[in-house]
Amino acid sequence: MKRIIRIILEIVKINFFALFKIKTNSLSVKEFPLDIYGKSAFFNHPFYKKGGASYFAQIYGSNNSSDFVVAKRSHLKFVSEIVRGSYVNCVHKLHIKEGELLPVSIPNKNTDASTASIRINSNGKDYELKKLKQNSFHFIPFTKESNVEVSSNRKIIVGDPIRFINSSSNKPNKKLVMSIFIDGLSSEIFKNEKIEKLMPNVAKYFSEGSMFFNVISSGNWTLPGVGSLFSGLYPIKHGMNHPRKELEIGKDYKIISEYFKESGYTTAQICSNFRKSPGYGYMKGFDRTLYKNGMNCKESIFNTIEHLRSFSKTSNYVWLTLFDLHDFLDGVPDLSVQTDLSIDLHNYGVDSSKSVFHSYDSNRIDRYLSELKRIDFYLKFLFDYISNNYQDEEIVLSICSDHGQSYLTDEEEILSRGRVVVPMFFKSEEAPFLTNNELVSNVDYLPSILNLSKINFEHDSIDGELPTIFGGKNGREYAISESIYPDQPYKAVIHKHNEFFYVNSTNNISNIDNIDIEKLELKLEKCLISDDGSIQYTKPDKDDLSKCIDMLIKR
């Protein structure tokens, strides 16, 4: 009875607020496909519109979805498939180029039953497609250039055509470029255990590539960290900082998906991270997005392979998010992880603090290692598929991360090395075979992958720099990580080659959208890194603070 009452109260609250278009504190940007007003993107067409772009979300790979939904939160359990397109009345005419797919969906708020039909006329030939499942995209292939008319007895979604066969006029430099984003992957974990032991499949695949282990993330949590990977900008510039505000990636700057889309690639992402949800605009620039909060690595990887099989005759850019290291996605670890853990490691304790504030925890570390090995196990399927279907000169494959984990070290500093030092790997014909300890920032990820893909970009429009092994001139003098969080002190760490500086404000940040470094009351700690990797605190020099302030202002 308590459960029934709770569900009914939530239904009434969310639907009441949605009816009068009032924000509810029960929902946030993280709850996509629901928005902050309680509307579902599955039945709100389009759910996002800006300029000439309209984006539509439909249900992917699930039968009878809306028929059995009781509460709107049930929509969070479905995979969203998102394409750019138009919501049209009954008849839609368009021209389709050779080798393109046409996404079509028949929305119905009442049922998903396979009872819909549409007519397609292609160059004068009629096709009637019957018993189509509603509220899901159907991808109609056209191998020849066609003048097409799509018709139905009601409004339908017609997506923008997506290239699935390269044409003579559309041949990007690479056949496949892929970003594998592993949330929460820390370099600290590889200090005590070699990567060959923890992630043997990753180590083997990238042994013929460039492996960086001294990459400084621009932030200590996902929202700012992944924003920098997408934009090549520091968080203060890309604006993805506030945990509760409605933010938009790529609002007035170009993001990674748009670079590849403009260069002729078919672009797709498979994403499971609520801080990278379409609610933040992360579907922009992608021809196709699959999103579900908490999609596990097995499902994410095989959805990626399915996409690559479907688009094997075109050039692809794919962003794949693996979220499993962040937390147990289904409430309990995967069976293979559970069987790998001793009895005492099944005690998950009671720690309600944010992951940023977790202290050193050996039990968490052991569970983290098991999850890491599981991710590596499933990545082998992806690596094998790519190795069997692509030549080395056709690919640029990479692994990147947004932050580490605070519980990996006993450092109390919120910007500890365990939290902000992450790995970055590249495999490409243009990437030298080496393990590199060069100082790198995660804002350098965007220029690096564009450079390896032979895509031109304006260096002055981003903060990122090319590492020296990719043609950078002098290498980084320093890299910056910041903690920009509302109603908390401003914190930054400036990493140099054998030393780093912790900068802390004595007052809280009131407006994180407009931080004036020169007006903050700052204090400084200086640390030296010994040859054995240990950290020693030392007294700052007289002019160290002014130098650090100057670096923060210039970033």
Side-chain angles (χ1 to χ4, degrees), residues 79-111:
V79 178
S80 306
E81 184 168 30
I82 300 168
V83 303
R84 179 173 164 170
S86 304
Y87 194 37
V88 299
N89 275 312
C90 303
V91 179
H92 186 64
K93 296 181 180 180
L94 70 160
H95 181 78
I96 294 182
K97 298 176 182 177
E98 177 185 354
E100 290 186 331
L101 293 175
L102 182 65
V104 179
S105 180
I106 304 93
N108 189 334
K109 291 184 178 182
N110 299 315
T111 180

Side-chain angles (χ1 to χ4, degrees), residues 389-419:
N389 290 276
Y390 296 88
Q391 302 298 316
D392 285 348
E393 64 270 15
E394 294 180 318
I395 67 166
V396 177
L397 211 71
S398 63
I399 286 179
C400 58
S401 186
D402 53 347
H403 59 78
Q405 306 289 352
S406 59
Y407 57 78
L408 297 177
T409 71
D410 56 6
E411 297 177 65
E412 295 182 1
E413 172 58 52
I414 198 172
L415 293 171
S416 68
R417 289 181 62 80
R419 189 72 193 179

